[in-house]
Every structure is written in structure tokens, then in C-alpha cells.
């Protein structure tokens, strides 16, 4: 199945769910049905965002190191992590397109990272070639650098931005959080407001 | 309805620059008052159906805000440093579209208290700062706060906050539904003997003035409301201004200079239109509502032979005394799900620590509210600054998202002259105009106050039964959305930029009204006060115009 089909199917399911909830919710609010269409448009606007396509900024060796770092930042330890979300490819595309303003600085810092790695591990081809636990150990020595902070930020972008940017594949980022991609809700929103009796100015401390 | 269209050669009554919280109110009030108005906006005009729930675009790719590529800024924490360009986000972040930041703010709409206006008299001077009383008092603004609540639309519960200043009317709508975080916050605060109250929000809890109730999508902070339940000026004031047939909204029109004549009177504005062509609009008076960053920038960019240091700057204070409102944060993880990503930002607040208390050893106070903060992507970014930031531990915290909430402690910032907006000497924007240069270092009392308030908030989370509470470190500010104090109001022309009616001391037909007008920072949530100031200023400006006192003010003014 191609990515396009995946997002089409997911979009269809999500659209039907959205309209169902929208009708129930907005019906109760006595609103004109126009608002359903409008709210739905905001919810789905990201599917119209032009996909960044195959644009690429990193060399394959750089991409492999970036991929290994994203898998350290959000590991695939039992549940999907950055790798399943397609974060490395997201970063590669982002730096070539919508985050190109960060590209030059990123490359300078990545090269410095690779040099530092080579100095520490002269007999290992690259960071990505190192076993996972040793990668973790090396990253601990650079975790406070601006480069690692940038890597962390880009990994988060790729994990949790809307899937239209190429990351957060199959919504795995949102599933990790328990975030429902629905964008229209009604109370109760969570466990604690289910039986809330209402605000009272003289309310005694509740148990 | 015929919407007005004015020729640039035609002299309109008012050119208003900036269509946000203040500019929208100003345009509506003056056009309803019978005056012709052109309302200028740098950014495009979007319809609510075009608003998107796209975190990356709206927070980092200049979605509806100033774009770090086209509208670059520089930042430094020390005036002796060379300011560095901000690459990831602009240091001062604001919406750049018709409706301005009233579109993307959280709509937390509490009023300032009486103490915010005369605190210097109560507490005395604070050395090294420009801490001053305002030239007006809470009582002067009260009728206009009421106007904001009723004419724009605020949901809330009058009498619920024992620390609230006096009010003449209740809120027009009941509060929004209480979130799980609100229930827990209320429980924790009451255990500690505090006085939680329903958050007043400029978001409809029920249909109001033709706009629907909130659908609880959760995308308030940094997003614009696609169903128009949030009361932006785009969907409240501006259509009402246009309905008069006397107001033209000119979007994608970037004003770069206030034009002056040889007598020292404003004659209109020079701007770039959407095709980057230079245009001029003649006007009898100019009103800048461009926000606390763009208003001083425009005055500085308008320097000429008669005003070599910028317009309205005989005091030398244009751009100075920039204040951010420091926000302290803490988060708490609970046993069951809260799903904070649903509905409005916050549903409970305490003002028990609002007033400054000399016993604490520093100046400051604030309000604390219950909220997780931003939506998932930005939240995931933030929690990494507060605890484990990568690896399995970080991932485990991500998985707690639906069971997490927190507190925001909105506090004071002192006016410090070396905190300011100036023109960057080198960097230019996409139109070749000087970029904003920000110089900012929090006053030590601002950080002490933020720490104090954050710790009180953390106690509320603990009292509410949080399994784990994490306090965000209080670190120096490098980013801000509250842009305050840069053209302060005052009676003394040597110590302020505008008078009590928002008229600049130096140019009689130039008025300034937005966050720049504030003398002190309040305790966050400045939009309500900015809009009340705009209603009040518009009334006075209309009266000046009717009495022929726009270009030649009476001596007593």
C-alpha cells in the first residue's frame, strides 16, 4: 500500500467520524449546519498542505546518522517510535524545503558532530554503525550541545506534526500521546469532570 | 451593505495602522462615530474557513504570524552585545493578519486590578526601573472593561473572584464548561485555603451576537477559531466597522512611515501594497495600533529632519521599557485521564497572590491558572526542557500526555529602560526595512516572582493529588507574546510618549493605542486591558475630532 492510499483511507475514516460527532455536538448547540463544514475544513486543512515530496537535503551517510539519532530520542521500545513515524525522512525533506532556513547551520553542526564522533571512535565508520547502547553513551556526551537540541526539536516536529508533512506516519506520534485527531468535543472531557457538581463560590474543599 | 473604498489621494479622517485587538476596536468606534477610516494591516485577510489546526505551520512556519524569514528579528540580552538573528522563531511573536493577535491569543480575559494602576504610590519607587503610576485609574477604565465584555463577548462568573475589582455589570455569558484540570485545580486550591474561580474567557459559552458557542476543538493557543467562538476583532469589531460604510480594511498593506508636514503634523502614511508598490494615504490623523513591537518600530522608522530620533520621541522613551510578563510553569501527572487537549486553555484561576507583598523580598505578583499549555507537538517539545529530554524515560513521559496538566503562573515584569525595541543597524526585512532588534534581560525581581508563583502553583497540583509534579526551570526570557510598555502613557512629556488620551506628546494628530501604552505590565492577560483602553481612547479621539481639536489641541490638554 502506498502512503497516498494510507492517508486517503485514514482521511476517509476520520472524516466520517468527524461528521458523526460534529452532527451530534453541534446539533445539541442549535447551530447552523454550516459550522460543521467549517469546523471540518479546519480539521482537514492539513491534508491539503502540499507534501514536501522527495526533496532531500542530507547525504545517505548523514541521513543514516540522523535516523539513528531520532531512534535514540524517541526509541521503538515496545511501541512505535521515531523510526516508525518516518522522522529521519521528515527531517531530510524539511531541511530541503519548509525549514531550509535552518539548513546551513544544521549541516555545519552535523559535520562537527561527525568529526567529534570520529575522534572518539576512530575505528567505527559512523555513528549509525555503532550498537544502540554505545550510541546512547556517545549521545550523553553531546546532549547539551545546540546541535542535539536542534535534533531533538526536529524529531519532535517529525513525530507530532500533522502527517501531511511526511512524519507522524499512521498517526503513531499522536497514538503515543493518546491524542484524538478529532477536533470537536463535548464535556465530559476527562475522568475528573464527569461527576463535577458545578462551581459554588462558597464551595467547601471537596474530597 | 456597501463597504467603503477610499482613494489614496482622498484625505480620510483616520488612518489606523494595525487591525488587531486595539485597531479593530478603534476602527469600529470611530467609523460608528461618523468618521472615515482606513484600517491598515500588514498581513492578509483570511476567512475563518481558511484557519488550520496545523501546529508546525502556525507555531514555526509563520502560518498567521510574523515569519522568521520575511520578518526577521534579532535578539540580545545585553546592550553591549551584537544582537543575533533568531532563526527558529521570532523573539517577539504576533499574528500578522486581519484581526492580529486577537485571533491567536488564548482569550484569557481577566481585568487588571486597581493596584495595577497606582502601585508605585502604594509601594514606592524601585531603583533602576521606570516603575510609575498610570495617569488613569481603574475607575477610569471600568466602563470600558464592561464594554469589552458585552460588545466583544466574554464568558465568566461575576462575584466568583473575591479579589476582583468592582464591576458595574455581570458577564454576558456563563463560564465555559469546567475541564478535568479545572476540577482538580479547584480541589487543590481550596484545600490550601485559596479562592479559585471560573476563568473569564473571550470565547462564547453559548451563541452570542451572531457567533456560535465553542466546539471545544482545543486549538485556541496560537490558532485562530474557525467557528468564530473566540472573539477576535476579525469576527466582531471589524465587520461592524465595515457595516457603517465608512471603514475600509486595507490588508497586505505594510505601513513603513508616518508622513509629516513642516509644521510637525502627521499627513498620512506611506506603505507597500500587496504588489510591493509604494503608496501613500492622506489622513487628518494617524492612529498606531500596531502592537508593542511594531508601533515603536514605525515611529523610529519615521525619523526625519524635524524628528531625528523618531516621531513622538522627545522623551527618548519610544521602544523602551519593554515588558513581557514572565510565565512560570509546573506540570502534574494524575492517575486518570484529563485530555487537556480538548476545549479551551483553562477553566480555573486564582488571584490570591495577585498583589505584591514586601514580605516576600521582591516586587511582583500574579494570577495562576490550570492548563497544560500548548497542543501535542509544542507540549512534547516543552516537557523536554523540564525533565528527561530523550530516550525511554522521555518517551514514557510523552505517554502520560492525556493524564497531565499543569499551572501557568502569569506574573509581573518591571519596566527597565535597557529592555527595548530598536532598529537593527544591519538586518533588513523582505521589504528592505530595518528589522526589529530586541534587547531584554528580566529584572531579578521578575524571576524571583515567577519562581514564587510557580511554587505556589506546584503546591496546588500536589494538593490536588498529582502523582508527580515537575517545575519548569525559571530561565531568562528570549521569546515573548506580550509586548508591553514601549510607548508609555503619562502626564509628563519628559517621562512618557503619550498622554492620558493616547495622543503623542509631540505630534498633536498622532495617537498610539496598543500594548505599548501600558505603564506597568499587569499580571499577564493584557488583551482585555488593551481593548478597554482602545474603547476609551476612541471615545476621546472622536470628541477631539468633533471639537476641532485634532491638529490643534487645546492648551489645557
Amino acid at each position: 500500500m502506498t502512503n497516498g492510499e494510507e492517508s486517503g483511507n485514514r482521511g476517509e475514516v476520520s472524516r466520517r467520524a468527524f461528521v458523526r460527532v460534529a452532527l451530534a455536538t453541534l446539533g445539541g448547540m442549535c447551530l447552523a449546519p454550516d459550522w460543521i463544514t467549517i469546523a471540518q475544513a479546519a480539521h482537514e486543512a492539513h491534508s491539503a498542505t502540499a507534501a514536501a515530496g522527495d526533496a532531500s537535503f542530507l547525504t545517505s551517510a548523514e541521513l543514516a546518522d540522523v535516523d539513528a539519532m531520532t531512534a535514540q530520542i524517541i526509541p521503538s521500545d515496545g511501541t512505535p517510535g521515531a523510526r516508525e513515524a518516518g522522522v529521519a525522512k521528515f527531517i531530510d525533506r524539511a531541511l530541503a524545503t519548509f525549514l531550509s532556513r535552518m539548513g546551513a547551520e544544521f549541516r555545519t553542526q552535523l559535520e562537527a558532530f561527525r568529526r567529534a564522533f570520529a575522534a572518539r571512535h576512530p575505528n567505527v565508520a559512523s555513528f549509525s554503525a555503532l550498537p544502540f547502547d554505545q550510541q546512547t553513551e556517545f549521545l550523553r556526551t553531546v546532549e547539551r550541545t545546540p546541535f542535539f537540541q536542534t535534533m531533538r526539536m526536529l524529531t519532535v516536529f517529525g513525530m507530532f506534526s500533522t502527517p501531511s508533512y511526511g512524519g507522524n506516519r499512521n498517526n503513531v506520534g499522536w497514538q503515543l500521546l493518546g491524542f484524538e485527531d478529532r477536533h470537536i468535543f463535548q464535556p465530559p472531557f476527562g475522568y475528573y469532570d464527569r461527576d463535577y457538581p458545578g462551581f459554588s463560590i462558597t464551595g467547601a474543599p471537596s474530597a | 451593505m456597501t463597504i467603503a473604498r477610499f482613494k489614496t489621494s482622498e484625505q480620510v479622517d483616520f488612518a489606523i495602522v494595525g487591525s488587531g485587538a486595539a485597531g479593530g476596536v478603534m476602527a469600529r468606534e470611530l467609523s460608528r462615530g461618523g468618521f472615515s477610516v482606513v484600517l491598515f494591516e500588514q498581513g492578509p485577510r483570511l476567512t475563518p474557513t481558511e484557519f488550520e489546526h496545523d501546529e508546525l505551520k502556525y507555531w514555526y512556519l509563520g502560518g498567521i504570524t510574523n515569519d522568521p524569514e520575511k520578518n526577521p528579528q534579532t535578539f540580545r540580552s545585553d546592550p553591549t552585545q551584537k544582537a543575533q538573528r533568531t532563526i527558529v522563531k521570532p523573539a517577539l511573536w504576533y499574528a500578522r493578519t486581519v484581526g492580529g493577535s486577537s485571533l491567536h491569543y488564548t482569550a484569557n480575559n481577566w481585568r487588571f486590578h486597581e493596584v495595577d494602576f497606582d502601585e508605585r504610590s502604594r509601594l514606592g519607587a524601585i531603583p533602576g526601573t521606570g516603575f510609575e503610576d498610570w495617569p488613569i485609574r481603574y475607575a477610569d477604565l471600568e466602563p470600558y472593561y464592561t464594554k469589552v465584555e458585552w460588545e466583544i463577548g466574554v464568558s465568566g462568573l461575576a462575584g466568583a473572584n473575591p479579589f476582583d475589582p468592582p464591576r458595574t455589570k455581570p458577564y454576558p455569558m456563563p463560564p465555559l464548561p469546567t475541564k478535568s484540570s479545572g476540577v482538580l485545580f479547584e480541589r487543590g486550591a481550596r484545600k490550601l485555603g485559596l479562592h479559585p474561580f471560573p476563568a473569564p474567557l473571550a470565547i462564547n459559552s453559548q451563541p452570542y451576537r451572531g457567533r456560535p458557542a465553542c466546539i471545544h476543538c482545543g486549538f485556541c493557543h496560537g490558532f485562530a477559531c474557525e467557528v468564530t467562538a473566540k472573539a477576535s476583532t476579525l469576527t466582531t469589531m471589524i465587520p461592524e466597522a465595515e457595516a457603517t460604510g465608512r471603514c475600509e480594511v486595507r490588508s497586505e498593506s505594510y505601513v513603513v512611515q508616518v508622513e509629516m508636514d513642516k509644521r510637525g503634523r502627521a499627513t498620512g502614511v506611506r506603505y507597500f501594497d500587496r504588489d510591493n508598490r509604494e503608496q501613500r494615504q492622506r489622513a487628518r490623523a494617524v492612529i498606531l495600533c500596531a502592537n508593542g513591537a511594531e508601533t515603536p518600530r514605525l515611529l523610529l522608522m519615521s525619523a526625519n529632519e524635524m524628528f531625528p530620533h523618531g516621531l513622538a520621541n522627545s522623551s527618548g522613551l519610544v521602544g523602551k521599557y519593554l515588558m513581557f510578563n514572565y510565565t512560570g510553569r509546573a506540570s502534574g501527572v494524575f492517575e486518570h485521564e484529563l485530555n487537556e487537549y480538548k476545549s479551551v486553555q483553562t477553566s480555573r484561576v486564582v488571584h490570591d497572590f495577585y498583589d505584591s507583598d514586601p514580605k516576600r523580598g521582591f516586587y511582583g505578583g500574579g494570577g495562576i491558572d490550570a492548563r497544560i499549555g500548548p497542543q501535542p507537538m509544542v507540549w512534547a517539545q516543552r516537557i523536554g526542557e523540564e525533565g528527561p529530554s530523550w530516550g525511554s524515560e522521555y518517551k514514557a513521559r510523552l505517554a502520560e500526555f492525556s493524564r497531565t496538566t499543569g499551572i501557568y503562573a502569569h506574573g509581573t515584569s518591571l519596566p527597565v529602560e535597557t529592555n527595548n525595541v530598536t532598529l537593527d543597524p544591519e538586518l533588513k526585512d523582505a521589504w528592505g526595512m530595518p528589522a526589529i532588534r530586541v534587547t531584554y534581560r528580566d529584572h531579578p525581581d521578575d524571576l524571583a516572582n515567577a519562581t514564587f508563583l510557580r511554587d505556589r502553583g506546584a503546591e496546588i497540583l500536589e494538593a490536588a493529588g498529582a502523582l508527580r509534579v515537575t517545575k519548569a526551570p525559571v530561565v531568562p526570557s528570549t521569546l515573548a507574546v506580550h509586548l508591553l510598555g514601549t510607548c508609555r502613557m503619562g502626564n509628563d512629556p519628559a517621562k512618557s510618549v503619550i498622554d492620558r488620551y493616547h495622543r503623542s506628546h509631540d505630534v498633536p494628530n498622532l495617537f498610539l493605542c496598543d500594548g505599548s501604552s501600558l505603564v506597568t505590565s499587569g499580571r499577564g492577560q493584557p488583551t482585555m486591558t488593551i481593548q478597554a483602553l482602545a474603547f476609551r481612547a476612541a471615545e476621546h479621539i472622536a470628541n477631539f475630532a468633533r471639537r476641532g481639536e485634532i491638529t490643534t489641541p487645546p492648551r489645557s490638554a
Side-chain angles (χ1 to χ4, degrees), chain B residues 274-464:
Chain B
R274 69 193 53 177
D275 301 315
N276 282 339
R277 283 180 312 212
E278 196 174 283
Q279 305 280 4
R280 291 175 157 80
Q281 176 66 53
R282 296 176 63 227
R284 290 183 179 84
V286 174
I287 307 176
L288 305 187
C289 302
N291 81 33
E294 293 281 13
T295 288
R297 175 179 182 236
L298 188 45
L299 294 172
L300 296 174
M301 291 197 304
S302 300
N304 60 25
E305 281 179 13
M306 191 184 277
F307 299 96
H309 304 294
L311 287 190
N313 199 19
S314 63
S315 64
L317 292 177
V318 166
K320 293 183 178 164
Y321 295 128
L322 177 64
M323 301 174 285
F324 285 176
N325 290 131
Y326 200 102
T327 304
R329 291 183 280 115
S331 61
V333 180
F334 290 84
E335 187 182 358
H336 303 287
E337 84 274 13
L338 293 87
N339 301 322
E340 279 282 83
Y341 62 90
K342 300 179 183 179
S343 195
V344 296
Q345 279 277 297
T346 183
S347 57
R348 287 294 179 276
V349 187
V350 294
H351 276 179
D352 293 74
F353 307 104
Y354 198 94
D355 289 3
S356 191
D357 180 352
K359 277 184 282 200
R360 293 177 201 149
F362 51 82
Y363 164 78
I368 304 171
D369 64 33
R371 63 165 97 185
I372 193 170
Q375 284 294 44
M377 189 192 86
V378 179
W379 175 81
Q381 180 66 24
R382 282 227 179 124
I383 61 157
E385 296 159 11
E386 298 166 14
S389 66
W390 59 284
S392 291
E393 271 183 273
Y394 173 58
K395 193 179 173 195
R397 297 196 67 176
L398 292 171
E400 294 171 340
F401 176 66
S402 62
R403 296 189 289 118
T404 302
T405 187
I407 60 90
Y408 270 35
H410 310 275
T412 40
S413 293
L414 278 164
V416 177
E417 199 172 341
T418 47
N419 288 342
N420 54 48
V421 169
T422 50
L423 303 180
D424 193 275
E426 293 165 22
L427 187 64
K428 307 280 187 236
D429 71 8
W431 291 260
M433 303 308 295
I436 288 172
R437 177 176 65 181
V438 183
T439 307
Y440 199 89
R441 173 174 285 165
D442 307 275
H443 189 280
D445 283 17
D446 301 347
L447 299 179
N449 180 54
T451 307
F452 167 80
L453 293 173
R454 177 201 64 183
D455 292 350
R456 300 294 77 75
E459 286 166 4
I460 294 172
L461 294 171
E462 278 158 10

Side-chain angles (χ1 to χ4, degrees), chain A residues 18 25-26 29-31 35 37-43 45-46 49 69 72-81 90 97-102 135-140 143 148-149 152-154 156-162 164-165 174 176-194 196 198-207, chain B residues 48-57 60-61 67-69 86-89 157-161 177-184 186-187 190-191 196-198 207 210-219 226-228 334-339 341-343 348 375-385 388-395 398-402:
Chain A
F18 182 87
T25 309
L26 297 177
M29 292 176 182
C30 309
L31 294 185
W35 293 113
T37 321
I38 288 164
Q40 188 185 347
H43 166 247
H46 56 75
T49 307
M69 273 184 270
Q72 287 283 337
I73 292 166
I74 306 180
S76 309
D77 51 1
T79 55
F90 163 90
T97 54
F98 52 86
L99 289 174
S100 60
R101 66 179 191 268
M102 297 173 64
Q135 285 178 352
T136 309
E137 207 175 296
F138 180 74
L139 285 184
R140 287 215 179 94
E143 66 181 349
F148 190 72
Q149 297 304 316
R152 231 185 55 72
M153 182 180 79
L154 294 175
V156 165
F157 287 177
M159 190 78 188
F160 302 112
S161 57
T162 66
S164 59
Y165 291 97
W174 288 338
L176 169 63
L177 299 173
F179 170 80
E180 284 174 82
D181 181 29
R182 218 171 69 187
H183 306 227
I184 183 163
F185 300 102
Q186 50 192 326
F189 306 116
Y191 174 86
Y192 300 96
D193 56 317
R194 267 175 211 162
Y196 178 68
F199 180 79
S200 149
I201 291 173
T202 55
S206 43
Chain B
T49 51
E50 292 175 279
F51 297 141
E52 298 171 68
H53 293 172
D54 180 334
E55 280 193 277
L56 191 56
K57 180 174 179 181
Y60 289 95
L61 304 180
D67 180 333
E69 296 205 49
T86 54
I87 298 292
V88 176
K89 279 189 81 164
L157 182 62
N161 175 12
T178 308
K179 300 179 69 165
S180 277
S181 59
V183 174
L184 291 167
E186 184 176 304
R187 189 183 294 170
R190 286 210 164 129
K191 269 190 190 161
F197 61 95
R211 294 180 294 114
C214 176
I215 60 165
H216 310 291
C217 76
F219 286 79
E226 73 277 7
V227 299
T228 73
F334 290 84
E335 187 182 358
H336 303 287
E337 84 274 13
L338 293 87
N339 301 322
Y341 62 90
K342 300 179 183 179
S343 195
R348 287 294 179 276
Q375 284 294 44
M377 189 192 86
V378 179
W379 175 81
Q381 180 66 24
R382 282 227 179 124
I383 61 157
E385 296 159 11
S389 66
W390 59 284
S392 291
E393 271 183 273
Y394 173 58
K395 193 179 173 195
L398 292 171
E400 294 171 340
F401 176 66
S402 62

